Amino acid sequence: MVTYAVTTRNLTTDQSVLLEFKHQINDPHGILVDNWTTSHSFCNWTGVTCGAKHKRIKALNLPNMNLIGTIPPELGNLSFLASLNLSGNGFHGDLPGELGQLSRLKLVDLSSNFFTGEIPSSFGRLNQVSDLVLSNNNLTGAIPPEISNLLNMRTLDLASNKLSGSIPSSIYNISSLRMVSLSFNGLSGKMPDDMCHHLPNLEALYLGTNELSGQIPTTINECKNLQVLALDYNQLSGSIPRSIGNLTALTELYLGGNNLEGEIPWEIGNLLNLEIFFAMDMRLTGLIPTSIGNLTNLKEIYLGPNFLE
């Protein structure tokens, strides 16, 4: 009898949370107005998926529906939620810290909205998350170091925001990461020398169009599964490390728009899968290595303006 009472209350909670969410939304196409009604089970509402056993909400997926509004903190009470996708809408305001209570979340995609404010440090409690996607918003402040607690994360995409400060070095300890995209922000600081030591599974690293300084770590080759490396349009100095030639899985390499100088290393010719090599607008000197002729898959190469011969 007690179990029934708890379940009933939880089901009621889930429904009331969704109705509060609906109340916060301007729905120009009437998608939720006509469908999210108490005349039938919320498990059949558009964008809602319930678990087969408990009939609790496990997914709230409403991408690209022209919805406008804010996320109410009550959404943090959907305790069985595993997937939250509100991408490609007109949501705005701050991200409620209460979302950090959703301990079962595996997917968070709030990209391509108008969210402002900082990324809540409480997101560091989402320890089941594999994909955290907050790109194309207006988020400000620093990346909270608590994000590095998400040891199951495969995708971290915070690109195209207004984030500042340095990248927490502890993020580079998340060995499950496959894609990190932090490009088009105002991030500063240096890339740690051992940044690839714990990232054997990393396939794509997008750090372009920030304010990063220092040198490209010579240990970059330890990210041995990298297919895309984008470091363009920062303030990186020094030379292109010869160890880049060991990243034989690379298909795209973007280094241009930095203060890199010296010669293009001969080892570039080892990147036999390379399709795009972007190294324009820097201070490179010397001869273009003939080893580039080995790159039979190359489709695009950008080398000027530099001081190459």
Side-chain angles (χ1 to χ4, degrees):
M1 190 70 184
V2 173
T3 303
Y4 175 75
V6 170
T7 303
T8 302
R9 190 182 76 234
N10 286 338
L11 292 174
T12 304
T13 299
D14 280 6
Q15 177 173 293
S16 64
V17 167
L18 289 187
L19 291 175
E20 177 60 29
F21 181 60
K22 175 184 174 183
H23 179 68
Q24 302 270 10
I25 292 174
N26 179 8
D27 177 17
H29 296 304
I31 298 169
L32 307 188
V33 172
D34 298 332
N35 184 268
W36 282 28
T37 65
T38 53
S39 59
H40 56 278
S41 168
F42 61 78
C43 290
N44 296 321
W45 292 0
T46 296
V48 177
T49 305
C50 291
K53 185 177 180 182
H54 295 295
K55 300 299 181 187
R56 300 293 306 281
I57 296 172
K58 68 175 186 179
L60 179 59
N61 297 328
L62 296 165
N64 305 309
M65 290 190 174
N66 293 309
L67 303 176
I68 301 169
T70 58
I71 296 182
E74 287 85 355
L75 211 62
N77 293 327
L78 296 178
S79 54
F80 278 72
L81 199 66
S83 176
L84 177 63
N85 184 352
L86 303 177
S87 61
N89 284 292
F91 287 101
H92 53 87
D94 290 358
L95 298 172
E98 286 81 358
L99 294 180
Q101 300 167 190
L102 300 174
S103 59
R104 289 179 170 87
L105 268 182
K106 294 182 178 178
L107 166 70
V108 179
D109 188 348
L110 303 176
S111 61
S112 300
N113 280 285
F114 300 93
F115 291 114
T116 52
E118 300 187 355
I119 300 171
S121 60
S122 62
F123 279 24
R125 299 203 300 266
L126 302 175
N127 55 16
Q128 296 298 314
V129 159
S130 61
D131 299 274
L132 181 60
V133 184
L134 305 175
S135 56
N136 292 295
N137 280 289
N138 295 310
L139 298 171
T140 55
I143 299 173
E146 291 83 357
I147 292 293
S148 60
N149 296 333
L150 308 182
L151 299 180
N152 294 302
M153 190 161 50
R154 296 177 306 182
T155 299
L156 175 63
D157 186 357
L158 308 178
S160 298
N161 279 287
K162 298 176 181 177
L163 300 173
S164 57
S166 59
I167 302 169
S169 58
S170 51
I171 282 178
Y172 299 119
N173 293 332
I174 306 175
S175 59
S176 57
L177 279 170
R178 295 181 181 272
M179 195 271 274
V180 175
S181 181
L182 304 176
S183 53
F184 295 99
N185 279 291
L187 298 168
S188 56
K190 299 180 180 181
M191 293 184 285
D193 291 337
D194 61 348
M195 62 175 286
C196 283
H197 186 64
H198 300 290
L199 296 174
N201 299 307
L202 194 67
E203 297 174 357
L205 178 62
Y206 298 93
L207 299 179
T209 313
N210 278 290
E211 299 170 14
L212 301 177
S213 57
Q215 300 190 4
I216 300 173
T218 56
T219 55
I220 193 75
N221 60 302
E222 293 183 16
C223 290
K224 59 181 184 293
N225 287 310
L226 264 186
Q227 297 171 25
V228 180
L229 176 60
L231 305 177
D232 50 313
Y233 294 103
N234 279 285
Q235 299 166 15
L236 300 175
S237 56
S239 58
I240 301 174
R242 304 168 78 91
S243 56
I244 273 185
N246 293 327
L247 295 173
T248 53
L250 271 187
T251 60
E252 300 177 29
L253 176 59
Y254 303 91
L255 301 175
N258 281 291
N259 298 318
L260 298 175
E261 53 193 13
E263 298 185 349
I264 299 174
W266 178 270
E267 288 80 3
I268 286 288
N270 296 334
L271 306 179
L272 299 182
N273 293 303
L274 199 65
E275 297 177 5
I276 300 175
F277 181 35
F278 181 81
M280 67 185 296
D281 197 20
M282 295 194 289
R283 301 174 181 176
L284 301 177
T285 55
L287 297 171
I288 298 173
T290 56
S291 62
I292 282 182
N294 299 337
L295 307 181
T296 55
N297 287 308
L298 203 61
K299 297 175 181 176
E300 301 177 34
I301 182 168
Y302 305 89
L303 298 179
N306 276 291
F307 301 99
L308 296 164
E309 301 173 35

